[in-house]
Amino acid sequence: MSAAVTGLGVLAPNGVGTGDYWRHTRAGTSGIRPITRFDASRYPIRLAGEVRDFDPAAHLPGRLVPQTDRMTQLALVATEWALADAGLAPDAAHDFDFGVVTSASAGGLEFGQRELQKLWTQGPSTVSAYMSFSWFYAVNTGQISIRHKLRGPAAALVTEQAGGLDAVGLSRRLVADGTPVVITAGVDGALCPMGVAGQVPAGQWSTCDDPARAYRPFDAGASGGVAGEGGAVLVIEDGAAARRRGARVYGEIAGYAATFDPPPGSDREPGLGRAAATALRQADLVPDEIDVVLADAAGTLAGDRAEADALEKLFGPRGVPVTAPKTMTGRLSAGAGTLDVATALLAMRDGIIPPTVNTGGDGYGHQIDLVTSLRHVPVRTALVLARGIGGFNAAVVLRAADRRSEGMEEA
Amino acid sequence: MSQFTIEDLKRIMRACAGEDESVDLDGDIGELTFDQLGYDSLALLETASRVQRELRVALPDEALGDVETPAQFVAFVNGRLLETAA
Amino acid sequence: MSRRVVITGIGVVAPGGVGTPAYWQRLLSGRSATRTITAFDPSGFRSRMAAECDFDPTAYGLTPQEIRRMDRTAQFAVVCTAECVADAGLAGGEVPATRVGVTVGSAVGATIKLESEYVVLSDGGRRWEVDPGYAVPHLYDYLVPSSLAAEVAWKVGAEGPVSVVSDGCTAGIDALGYAAQVIRCGDADVMIAGGTEAPIAPITVACFDAIKATSVHNDDPEHAHRPYDVSRNGFVLGEGAAMLVLEEYEHARRRGARVYAEIAGVATRANAFHMTGLQAEGREMAEAIRVALDQARIGADRVDWVSMHGTGTKQNDRHETSAIKRSLGPHAYRTPASSIKSMIGHSLGAVGALETAACALAITHGAVPPTANLHRQDPELDLDYVPLQAREHRVDVALNVGSGFGGFQSAMVLCRPEAVSR
């Protein structure tokens, strides 16, 4: 069994659609800019990765728009694109064959804030009939399954920024257990006043006003992350079945593991390195065989130090190219994991490693080989890392779909 | 006193529940069912809630359950308006 | 799959009973714990009742800092965790941290704190650009419910896979199913898993008011949640939590642990129909039941009790009755099928875990709880819903079903491990 990725749908702050995203990501073009969604001038955090120049309403049925938060609208559009990319058009004949796994962190918070405002200023009877599901964390799973008539296994996971990779891990397991196709949607975002206000005391986000300097992971001047919205939807299916139907296979999900950090204040090692090592073992690969790491890249001094230490321990000093294209999108919460998986698969396809921007790697040069400009190099395998606030760690290992693995499968 | 019209209903439904692309709301829709127009029970609840607020008229749940078409909805609201005024 | 998963510890915070013994007694009593809401002034709302927990966090050993930091949802989970871990005899940290994981189910997370902090930051709703100057230190944890799983993990020192499963109102079942799968595939030996919810806040009540899903028997709050009764008109919102210790069977046997029940199969299917609506046929729930029984390798005719979803809405009770008949065939009519929601209300993402605990206790104690408030059974609904009174009844195999907004349909099969040959 192998879990193959056969479709991608990307909606990111620096690119609408896979092609647009990839063009800008290769070129190092960032989508981090001042917040426009609301007046953030009096907030200490004033930058974000907003998906701009994109009106979801132009892509969605009119009936769906009033009942969905923006992050659900983005997820629905990206799902449509991913299914088209995979050449799949689910219909009644597929019935229980298609599953849906999503992850989002704060639910449809902007929708929720609007209804809270109505409740507290105009009374309970003004709260929308759509509020009961437009805000809750499972909304994207429900709306995607309804729109495309997908009746297979369904789930919604929340592990903050690790959520996208956890969704990939669960999807891989579902495919292994016999679900023919799973739609994996890590699409997230809460760039509304409540969402940004929540970031202020958490201390993980940058208060810098300069889009070129705010989010600088693995840099001595790191000042925190910048939040963003969007993500990617992946179509994951049984590899052999995908090849039988002649589908293009971007690559396979070869390993996945999740761990949790020791409690705050413990002197025990954080769990990121263990997640990475376990995912590699599952993929039956040794560290030397990994061609690129897509780092979590917290952008905080402590977070970057811990990740650099973990990578150095696993791969040796400067043992593997490390990149963080999320420096161009901001941290997309649960959207980050699936977008990084998509990015790694595109890197494999084109034999390039996209850059980490706005950072020089100062102070980490002896530990990690940070890719700061586009690098042309064959990419056959990739390790994708993510960490969620609170102590969540997840790692996914990707492998190119080559003749060798195909032959092994038939044998 | 003001009469509630089908145009009022269309305006409210478009605003709170959106519009199905396969349906021409500007056509003759009075006798079509809400189901045919692409509106589900939630759309109807949402619409009723807005109408109640806009017109300051109570639309009891039980009676609303029997309303199936825009024409019936308009008649129902106008009936309630009359009762309320009386 | 060779690795089997058993329940070796139970912790419960429920309306009408904190702690597993009090909970089980309450369920057998047939008395509802629903009442007029005391958490806030419910006048002005359509449904003004809830099944509330009489819960004082200081009485369960939470520190002042924990009480300030944690939303009530997290407090419930942490208190249940302490109980289930002690119940399983694992309080001494015998299992390596990396082999212990956590899965918490919750549908709406830290709603109470989220709403109350919103009210402060927005100055009573007056400001759209809420004032971050008033943000409390842990505001982000109230927005993102993974904080619930983190609290539980810190409490038990878990360093294996930790997550929140937020599948709406099937989250309790699905979180346990997810955790069981983590053990089966070898990623952990022990999982602390279950569901928690504390949704009794104005915004939640208003949400369910808006879609008329909750009961309006406001004049009779103690008998308002009436599944399968002709006079049913929706559910009563509840709160609570159940956290269970799931353990790999051989691991439990080696250390001589008491085993309540085995989780032999779990499945979720989407109805892909409507975010809140259900089709009367119950096809997708029936498929989830079929798959769960298949995983368990247990025939439909061996089910001894069904813990029903029982939300007491017109459509739910029809839907699940069809699903049970469709999946169990003629055996459906011979199987007691009751809903404890009639007593503890509907605590959304927690209730599936509370019902799982009830299944494990039914297997252990040889009794099934009744459906309370069922005096005049709807003639359209023709199963044995165990009206009003608990029954002594040997349960070797229990089936727990749930249904949730978003179209989730879930089923879990539990059994007495030695009663089933593998």
Side-chain angles (χ1 to χ4, degrees):
Chain A
M1 197 297 302
S2 74
V5 180
T6 57
L8 305 177
V10 174
L11 259 168
N14 67 340
V16 169
T18 305
D20 193 36
Y21 165 73
W22 190 231
R23 214 162 26 250
H24 287 125
T25 299
R26 292 173 62 132
T29 312
S30 171
I32 293 174
R33 283 167 287 196
I35 291 172
T36 60
R37 199 70 50 70
F38 64 95
D39 177 7
S41 58
R42 289 166 54 191
Y43 282 54
I45 294 167
R46 291 184 285 273
L47 298 179
E50 294 176 342
V51 175
R52 298 252 187 117
D53 307 318
F54 179 71
D55 177 16
H59 297 261
L60 290 172
R63 285 281 291 107
L64 267 175
V65 176
Q67 59 175 282
T68 42
D69 182 85
R70 181 172 170 85
M71 68 105 198
T72 300
Q73 296 170 358
L74 297 176
L76 284 167
V77 173
T79 299
E80 194 177 348
W81 293 347
L83 279 166
D85 187 45
L88 288 170
D91 57 31
H94 295 98
D95 211 19
F96 295 111
D97 287 355
F98 281 62
V100 182
V101 178
T102 73
S103 183
S105 301
L109 187 61
E110 184 173 14
F111 198 112
Q113 186 185 337
R114 204 176 304 122
E115 298 306 317
L116 278 164
Q117 183 172 43
K118 283 159 67 182
L119 169 64
W120 283 89
T121 55
Q122 301 170 62
S125 67
T126 63
V127 171
S128 164
Y130 301 123
M131 174 62 173
S132 60
F133 57 80
S134 57
W135 177 13
F136 85 150
Y137 309 96
V139 60
N140 290 356
T141 300
Q143 292 286 17
I144 289 169
S145 73
I146 291 167
R147 184 161 188 229
H148 296 284
K149 301 287 167 237
L150 314 178
R151 294 193 171 80
L157 300 175
V158 187
T159 50
E160 216 263 332
Q161 175 113 352
L165 293 188
D166 286 332
V168 170
L170 175 56
S171 303
R172 170 174 176 261
R173 196 153 70 209
L174 289 169
V175 169
D177 288 347
T179 302
V181 183
V182 178
I183 307 303
T184 310
V187 179
D188 211 343
L191 299 179
C192 61
M194 260 317 262
V196 177
Q199 294 171 3
V200 173
Q204 308 267 336
W205 281 274
S206 176
T207 53
C208 173
D209 256 346
D210 178 0
R213 297 178 52 82
Y215 181 28
R216 283 188 290 164
F218 303 114
D219 192 290
S223 59
V226 170
E229 64 177 354
V233 176
L234 314 173
V235 176
I236 300 178
E237 57 182 307
D238 176 67
R243 278 183 284 270
R244 272 199 301 279
R245 74 175 180 88
R248 171 206 35 217
V249 174
Y250 285 99
E252 97 181 67
I253 314 289
Y256 156 77
T259 64
F260 194 74
D261 287 342
S266 162
D267 53 9
R268 288 159 55 79
E269 202 181 321
L272 184 67
R274 189 162 45 87
T278 309
L280 281 171
R281 261 200 311 281
Q282 273 199 11
D284 206 13
L285 291 171
V286 294
D288 277 357
E289 293 175 283
I290 291 293
D291 294 329
V292 65
V293 173
L294 280 86
D296 172 61
T300 61
L301 288 173
D304 292 344
R305 179 59 60 203
E307 187 167 30
D309 287 348
L311 290 173
E312 186 184 7
K313 189 174 167 191
L314 193 58
F315 294 96
R318 300 182 61 85
V320 63
V322 175
T323 190
K326 59 168 71 77
T327 45
M328 292 172 260
T329 62
R331 295 176 67 77
L332 308 184
S333 293
T338 47
L339 183 59
D340 275 346
V341 167
T343 304
L345 293 169
L346 295 167
M348 286 178 185
R349 185 191 67 186
D350 293 354
I352 55 167
I353 298 176
T356 311
V357 303
N358 299 330
T359 183
D362 310 344
Y364 295 85
H366 60 291
Q367 282 191 295
I368 57 170
D369 170 16
L370 191 68
V371 177
T372 54
S373 60
L374 185 69
R375 198 179 286 185
H376 290 267
V377 56
V379 180
R380 307 290 299 158
T381 56
L383 170 68
V384 183
L385 300 176
R387 286 176 295 187
I389 289 177
F392 302 86
N393 307 293
V396 160
V397 173
L398 303 167
R399 182 162 43 202
D402 60 10
R403 296 204 159 275
R404 192 175 62 92
S405 69
E406 205 173 329
M408 281 165 64
E409 196 169 312
E410 279 156 11
Chain B
M1 60 156 283
S2 63
Q3 275 273 319
F4 185 71
T5 67
I6 199 152
E7 292 310 316
D8 294 326
L9 177 62
K10 287 179 192 170
R11 171 179 54 80
I12 290 172
M13 292 205 93
R14 278 193 172 115
C16 71
E19 190 171 352
D20 189 314
E21 283 74 11
S22 63
V23 171
D24 178 16
L25 276 193
D26 292 322
D28 191 10
I29 60 157
E31 303 303 327
L32 295 174
T33 66
F34 286 111
D35 196 38
Q36 288 168 323
L37 294 171
Y39 291 115
D40 61 359
S41 60
L42 292 180
L44 211 54
L45 281 173
E46 189 71 2
T47 302
S49 165
R50 300 255 183 138
V51 169
Q52 297 191 70
R53 284 207 301 284
E54 234 180 73
L55 278 69
R56 298 182 183 285
V57 60
L59 305 176
D61 301 351
E62 317 77 63
L64 204 59
D66 301 328
V67 171
E68 286 181 354
T69 67
Q72 287 169 4
F73 192 99
V74 169
F76 174 61
V77 171
N78 283 322
R80 291 293 303 157
L81 282 170
L82 268 176
E83 280 174 48
T84 313
Chain C
M1 278 174 227
S2 57
R3 283 168 68 94
R4 297 166 69 178
V5 180
V6 292
I7 298 170
T8 56
I10 300 178
V12 172
V13 171
V18 174
T20 305
Y23 173 61
W24 184 238
Q25 251 178 5
R26 183 75 191 204
L27 294 185
L28 295 184
S29 77
R31 284 184 300 118
S32 291
T34 55
R35 64 191 186 199
T36 298
I37 290 173
T38 65
F40 61 93
D41 175 8
S43 50
F45 289 83
R46 179 178 179 274
S47 177
R48 299 186 284 279
M49 302 160 292
E52 296 173 320
C53 296
D54 294 311
F55 174 82
D56 171 10
T58 56
Y60 303 103
L62 294 187
T63 68
Q65 291 191 354
E66 287 173 331
I67 292 169
R68 169 78 64 86
R69 180 177 79 225
M70 292 184 205
D71 175 76
R72 190 171 166 90
T73 313
Q75 293 175 8
F76 286 171
V78 165
V79 168
C80 288
T81 296
E83 186 191 355
C84 74
V85 168
D87 186 42
L90 287 174
E94 294 81 353
V95 188
T98 56
R99 299 299 297 165
V100 181
V102 172
T103 315
V104 176
S106 183
V108 298
T111 305
I112 293 175
K113 283 274 197 195
L114 207 163
E115 178 168 16
S116 62
E117 295 305 326
Y118 162 78
V119 172
V120 174
L121 266 66
S122 66
D123 204 9
R126 279 181 278 277
R127 305 166 62 123
W128 174 249
E129 274 87 22
V130 301
D131 187 346
Y134 284 88
V136 292
H138 295 279
L139 180 59
Y140 193 74
D141 293 341
Y142 311 144
L143 302 179
V144 183
S146 45
S147 56
L148 301 171
E151 291 286 1
V152 171
W154 292 331
K155 206 72 183 173
V156 297
E159 297 178 29
V162 173
S163 61
V164 161
V165 169
S166 192
D167 297 0
C169 295
T170 61
I173 294 178
D174 299 350
L176 287 160
Y178 184 91
Q181 195 61 30
V182 169
I183 293 177
R184 273 196 200 102
C185 71
D187 290 350
D189 297 319
V190 171
M191 292 291 288
I192 312 301
T196 184
E197 208 81 80
I200 304 171
I203 187 64
T204 324
V205 174
C207 276
F208 291 119
D209 274 5
I211 53 172
K212 307 190 196 305
T214 36
S215 172
V216 288
H217 290 305
N218 290 302
D219 52 350
D220 190 9
E222 279 150 47
H223 308 99
H225 193 121
R226 305 172 184 173
Y228 322 113
D229 195 277
V230 284
S231 64
R232 71 187 188 278
N233 58 13
F235 64 85
V236 174
L237 188 62
E239 62 174 356
M243 295 298 293
L244 311 180
V245 175
L246 305 192
E247 193 168 349
E248 196 271 319
Y249 190 29
E250 291 305 323
H251 189 276
R253 282 231 297 225
R254 271 199 303 277
R255 66 180 191 90
R258 176 207 28 216
V259 170
Y260 285 97
E262 175 178 0
I263 295 184
V266 191
T268 301
R269 291 295 178 269
N271 73 6
F273 170 64
H274 194 272
M275 287 300 284
T276 64
L278 296 165
Q279 285 171 302
E281 300 78 30
R283 213 175 137 264
E284 296 79 16
M285 182 186 275
E287 172 70 5
I289 294 169
R290 189 192 66 73
V291 173
L293 284 166
D294 195 50
Q295 274 175 23
R297 283 181 275 164
I298 289 174
D301 59 350
R302 295 211 47 198
V303 173
D304 298 309
W305 179 46
V306 185
S307 170
M308 299 282 277
H309 188 57
T311 46
T313 62
K314 293 277 181 245
Q315 63 169 3
N316 171 78
D317 295 4
R318 269 202 298 268
H319 170 264
E320 66 173 335
T321 296
S322 305
I324 298 298
K325 290 196 270 194
R326 188 181 274 266
S327 53
L328 302 192
H331 185 66
Y333 295 98
R334 296 191 291 269
T335 311
S338 46
S339 173
I340 61 170
K341 286 193 187 72
S342 56
M343 294 175 276
I344 62 166
H346 185 7
S347 46
L348 312 181
V351 80
L354 283 157
E355 286 159 339
T356 303
C359 290
L361 293 165
I363 288 170
T364 303
H365 297 298
V368 298
T371 301
N373 310 322
L374 175 50
H375 294 276
R376 287 177 299 150
Q377 189 165 323
D378 185 334
E380 263 191 68
L381 307 174
D382 52 358
L383 299 180
D384 172 7
Y385 302 104
V386 196
L388 305 175
Q389 288 198 332
R391 246 180 242 172
E392 280 192 28
H393 180 74
R394 183 180 167 94
V395 180
D396 285 336
V397 176
L399 169 65
N400 183 16
V401 297
S403 175
F405 283 6
F408 295 92
Q409 312 298 330
S410 296
M412 176 188 288
V413 175
L414 298 99
C415 66
R416 190 189 306 280
E418 61 276 15
V420 178
S421 57
R422 298 272 135 147

